[in-house]
Amino acid sequence: MTLKRLVLFFVLTPIAVLLAVSALFGSWQEPQFQSRLELYQTNIALQAQAWQSEDSSDRNLKAVQEAILGDQPLEGATKQYQEARQSVEANLDKVNNKIAQLRSQSEITPIPAKLPDVPPTTKTSKQGQQQLQQSLKQLQKLLAELDLRLGILQAQQGQTDTSLKTWSELQQRSDINPEFGETAAVLNGLWSNPPRLLQNSQERIQKNLEGWFRSTALVQLYQLQQRQDALLAVKAAQQESATQAVIKLAVIGTIPTLAALIGLILLILLFAQRLFKGKTSLLSQNADVLWSTPWDGETILQVFIVGFFFMGQIFVPLLLSRLPIPRPVGDVRLQAFYVLVSYLLVASGALLVLYFSLKPFFPLPEFWFRFRFQDKWFLWGLGGYCAALPIVVVVSLINQQLWQGQGGSNPLLQLALESQDGVALGIFFFTAAIAAPFFEEILFRGFLLPSLTRYLPVWGAILTSSLLFAIAHLSLSEILPLTALGIVLGVVYTRSRNLLAPMLLHSLWNSGTLLSLFVLGSN
């Protein structure tokens, strides 16, 4: 065995596996982005339920409102907030336990007598404690915000005693910013019998509440103060926000639902065709046709371990850390640009490793890395996107029950949701909808899947490449949904034998996600 193989198989590969496993288990304690996204949707639904039609021409919008929100939107929102609160409390317990473990370890760590200046904790443990303390503060703040909102939901459903108890318990907490306790006192006074109006009530409400919760509290305040002009103004603003919310929910709900319905019909037709036509059906097209693969597993490992993993997890981060450029902490445009540059460097490095790894085998056999514009790639890509929607939605629902709001998520999603800067969103869109589909489809469908057919049947190569595609995102909660998406991408590619088809599917998927986040996050 050559030195190159020894290093690749027994040094680099074990390191990559250990780092990947560590990253996956590290994501275990991180909250899923899906949980936060559901709260955004709930908040918009609360705004939408306040909409009232003043014109008979608004019947269509009223029908949309009723169809999307159902009969009991407040009850559904309360349940969502209670589940979110339980998840945050569970995460708080875990973080507190971790902090206690680190402190106990630091207390029992012996200090060598010859090195009296050595601190009892290492730099790594100190950094870990700092990160945990930051997570603890964020969770405490989030729990306080949830309690403020949950109390308003309870009060609006006539559960005044329960809401007063919620706010009273929040006032007694010493681990939060005093402003939240003061806001809880304001709300407690507004819904008490008799009511109590505290100083700076309006200021506290406007600062620590938003959306439907803010307008609801302000309506209660202005009614008690008998400020008719202010009351009319806040109700008018509430109706305007409610109209926008109904339109938002229609956009992010109707279009994907229609596409998923088309996809479900398409899946039924395809499986029926497969049942009656057998190997002449579309699903059987090229299903058993293997690629001619002149390289072995060493080349596959070389591309993915050196080109993909080490380039993305070690080389590029190390390069960026050495460059004299400021870290993009507060500027969302800089953050977006930083993400794009990082991704392009990783993609360029990985594609260079791929090129030089395959160069000895040029010219490549037929069907490798095919881009054919004169083909049905568009129909395969669009149809694959529609078919993927119901499959991934079902898998995601199961996944949510398994992970209970934990397992981490792609940090780009949070940035896209909270960013309302047009330039930043344009950069995010280019990264996710153009750069990512191009690079990832070349690597996973263009190279990995066909290479695996040297050792596996086509269906086995689809499953294996899909699982590796999901694991490569280094988020436990995304493994099942991304594996399902990867399977659809693999089926589309193996049947069409055209990389443009899975690239289009991948681009449509990421574009739809980003557009939904933009609509949800917009004010």
Side-chain angles (χ1 to χ4, degrees):
M1 183 176 288
T2 64
L3 179 61
K4 174 188 170 184
R5 286 191 173 186
L6 284 172
V7 172
L8 180 62
F9 282 97
F10 299 106
V11 179
L12 297 181
T13 300
I15 290 175
V17 171
L18 285 173
L19 290 175
V21 170
S22 175
L24 285 170
F25 276 98
S27 71
W28 188 2
Q29 303 298 336
E30 296 176 4
Q32 277 188 41
F33 175 74
Q34 184 67 25
S35 301
R36 197 170 191 92
L37 183 60
E38 287 174 354
L39 286 182
Y40 268 84
Q41 291 173 317
T42 299
N43 293 342
I44 293 179
L46 286 171
Q47 285 184 315
Q49 63 87 31
W51 182 79
Q52 297 176 352
S53 175
E54 299 178 355
D55 190 341
S56 59
S57 62
D58 290 332
R59 290 177 181 174
N60 291 335
L61 202 57
K62 186 66 177 177
V64 170
Q65 180 198 34
E66 294 174 353
I68 294 175
L69 301 180
D71 297 331
Q72 299 177 324
L74 290 180
E75 288 83 346
T78 303
K79 182 180 178 182
Q80 188 71 52
Y81 267 85
Q82 287 172 337
E83 290 175 354
R85 193 185 189 284
Q86 291 172 358
S87 177
V88 172
E89 282 188 320
N91 290 335
L92 270 172
D93 290 339
K94 292 176 183 177
V95 171
N96 280 319
N97 290 335
K98 281 189 173 182
I99 291 175
Q101 289 176 1
L102 284 177
R103 285 175 177 170
S104 63
Q105 290 173 2
S106 65
E107 289 172 359
I108 64 174
T109 301
I111 304 174
K114 295 182 180 180
L115 298 172
D117 295 330
V118 176
T121 56
T122 64
K123 183 178 180 181
T124 302
S125 64
K126 283 184 178 180
Q127 290 175 344
Q129 285 193 33
Q130 290 174 354
Q131 291 175 352
L132 287 172
Q133 289 290 350
Q134 185 178 2
S135 298
L136 183 66
K137 290 179 180 178
Q138 291 174 346
L139 288 170
Q140 289 170 343
K141 179 176 180 289
L142 178 57
L143 187 61
E145 292 174 346
L146 291 175
D147 281 339
L148 288 176
R149 299 176 182 183
L150 188 57
I152 295 175
L153 283 168
Q154 292 163 344
Q156 288 301 100
Q157 296 173 76
Q159 303 169 12
T160 308
D161 291 340
T162 306
S163 64
L164 295 179
K165 182 181 178 182
T166 300
W167 292 322
S168 296
E169 291 175 351
L170 178 58
Q171 288 176 256
Q172 296 170 7
R173 286 175 53 189
S174 59
D175 58 351
I176 60 170
N177 189 318
E179 287 189 356
F180 291 113
E182 293 169 3
T183 307
V186 167
L187 297 175
N188 208 323
L190 291 179
W191 269 274
S192 294
N193 187 19
R196 303 186 310 274
L197 298 179
L198 304 183
Q199 289 185 346
N200 301 323
S201 294
Q202 179 175 310
E203 179 185 346
R204 295 300 178 202
I205 290 171
Q206 290 177 334
K207 185 174 182 180
N208 295 309
L209 293 172
E210 58 185 22
W212 176 84
F213 300 96
R214 177 191 292 171
S215 60
T216 301
L218 288 175
V219 166
Q220 183 77 1
L221 174 65
Y222 296 152
Q223 284 177 340
L224 292 173
Q225 292 177 332
Q226 297 183 352
R227 295 169 57 186
Q228 292 302 317
D229 291 341
L231 184 61
L232 290 174
V234 75
K235 285 187 174 182
Q238 187 180 45
Q239 284 302 301
E240 183 179 352
S241 298
T243 304
Q244 294 175 359
V246 172
I247 295 172
K248 286 180 186 179
L249 290 175
V251 170
I252 63 175
T254 305
I255 297 175
T257 300
L258 288 175
L261 182 60
I262 293 171
L264 187 60
I265 295 171
L266 187 60
L267 286 170
I268 294 172
L269 292 175
L270 285 173
F271 281 114
Q273 187 190 48
R274 176 69 177 84
L275 183 65
F276 291 107
K277 289 192 174 182
K279 292 190 176 182
T280 60
S281 65
L282 275 176
L283 278 180
S284 299
Q285 179 179 315
N286 297 320
D288 300 319
V289 180
L290 303 178
W291 278 261
S292 176
T293 308
W295 48 83
D296 57 15
E298 179 184 350
T299 301
I300 301 174
L301 270 180
Q302 179 175 296
V303 170
F304 271 85
I305 299 299
V306 179
F308 182 74
F309 189 84
F310 274 89
M311 194 65 65
Q313 299 299 312
I314 296 177
F315 297 149
V316 170
L318 185 62
L319 173 64
L320 291 174
S321 68
R322 298 297 180 186
L323 292 177
I325 55 176
R327 299 278 82 84
V329 178
D331 192 321
V332 69
R333 291 188 182 184
L334 279 178
Q335 286 180 318
F337 185 71
Y338 189 84
V339 169
L340 175 60
V341 170
S342 302
Y343 194 88
L344 290 178
L345 286 173
V346 172
S348 301
L351 292 177
L352 277 174
V353 173
L354 175 64
Y355 172 78
F356 285 110
S357 298
L358 300 189
K359 189 176 180 181
F361 304 99
F362 286 175
L364 298 180
E366 189 181 8
F367 298 128
W368 280 94
F369 304 106
R370 289 181 71 184
F371 292 87
R372 295 181 59 184
F373 288 93
Q374 303 298 324
D375 206 344
K376 296 180 180 179
W377 62 272
F378 184 83
L379 294 177
W380 276 106
L382 183 60
Y385 170 72
C386 294
L389 276 170
I391 295 173
V392 178
V393 165
V394 171
V395 173
S396 296
L397 291 174
I398 297 171
N399 192 61
Q400 278 287 96
Q401 296 303 313
L402 290 174
W403 291 106
Q404 295 294 317
Q406 293 299 108
S409 297
N410 189 339
L412 179 62
L413 298 179
Q414 184 71 29
L415 288 173
L417 177 63
E418 296 179 348
S419 166
Q420 290 307 302
D421 184 278
V423 174
L425 288 169
I427 297 173
F428 284 138
F429 185 85
F430 180 84
T431 304
I434 298 177
F438 179 79
F439 166 60
E440 292 176 15
E441 292 313 307
I442 284 180
L443 203 62
F444 286 96
R445 255 61 61 179
F447 170 72
L448 178 61
L449 193 160
S451 297
L452 291 174
T453 59
R454 174 170 176 147
Y455 305 99
L456 299 169
V458 173
W459 65 266
I462 291 174
L463 290 176
T464 305
S465 62
S466 300
L467 181 60
L468 291 173
F469 168 70
I471 292 173
H473 288 76
L474 300 178
S475 174
L476 276 175
S477 69
E478 293 182 333
I479 287 180
L480 285 179
L482 288 178
T483 299
L485 178 62
I487 290 172
V488 179
L489 287 164
V491 169
V492 166
Y493 178 53
T494 54
R495 273 52 174 179
S496 66
R497 298 296 164 115
N498 189 339
L499 271 173
L500 291 174
M503 283 181 180
L504 175 62
L505 193 167
H506 200 151
S507 179
L508 288 172
W509 188 269
N510 288 356
S511 299
T513 302
L514 282 178
L515 289 174
S516 296
L517 294 178
F518 171 71
V519 172
L520 281 175
S522 61
N523 295 319

